[in-house]
Amino acid sequence: MHNPPVILIIDDDLGFQEIISTKLKRNGFLVAEATNGKEGIEKALNLNPDLILMDINMPDLNGTEAVLELKKNPETKKIGVVFLTNLNEPWPGLKGEPNEKVARDLGAKGFINKSEDLDKIMEKVKI
């Protein structure tokens, strides 16, 4: 683990990315950013962050696909990933499955809805 911890935010919503990045920096984290899954994977390989906050619905390579790629690669498979999204039902084909369970089944540590209070998000991000 880095000291201070490094968090990679992968999200195509630049406004939200700026808000969460500012909050993380104020809480003592180093922050890197990417705007899609492909760019995020490249940064993860270069930075080896302590945690990745991954949006789901993004261009080029969506968050689900990016997590599956990260988990296949020996260099990135141990990096913790938490899905961070606005989608109420991010995986519509899996009706009835809780978002947390689906996130874990995909290899992520969990799931956070972007609409949650920023302080609650920070509690869940604590490494």
Side-chain angles (χ1 to χ4, degrees):
M1 184 179 304
H2 299 93
N3 189 10
V6 176
I7 297 182
L8 174 58
I9 302 168
I10 305 174
D11 195 325
D12 63 327
D13 181 341
L14 298 180
F16 183 78
Q17 194 180 83
E18 183 178 342
I19 290 167
I20 196 76
S21 176
T22 299
K23 185 73 172 178
L24 287 164
K25 289 174 184 174
R26 287 184 182 156
N27 279 270
F29 296 98
L30 290 178
V31 178
E33 299 161 346
T35 58
N36 63 58
K38 186 176 177 184
E39 180 187 1
I41 289 171
E42 291 171 15
K43 287 197 175 184
L45 283 164
N46 291 327
L47 299 171
N48 190 29
D50 298 295
L51 181 69
I52 296 173
L53 296 177
M54 177 83 71
D55 189 19
I56 294 173
N57 193 16
M58 296 182 290
D60 293 329
L61 191 65
N62 71 40
T64 301
E65 294 165 332
V67 167
L68 293 172
E69 289 297 315
L70 289 166
K71 295 305 172 184
K72 281 196 286 188
N73 187 325
E75 294 181 52
T76 56
K77 71 179 182 181
K78 292 188 179 184
I79 299 172
V81 179
V82 174
F83 285 112
L84 186 61
T85 185
N86 274 333
L87 301 173
N88 289 326
E89 198 171 329
W91 300 286
L94 303 172
K95 294 196 184 306
E97 293 290 333
N99 292 326
E100 279 289 326
K101 180 184 181 320
V102 175
R104 290 185 198 289
D105 287 349
L106 290 167
K109 293 173 73 172
F111 175 91
I112 300 173
N113 196 299
K114 287 181 181 179
S115 64
E116 286 191 47
D117 178 85
L118 280 179
D119 290 328
K120 285 184 181 179
I121 293 173
M122 287 303 109
E123 287 175 25
K124 291 182 179 182
V125 167
K126 297 294 182 199
I127 297 174

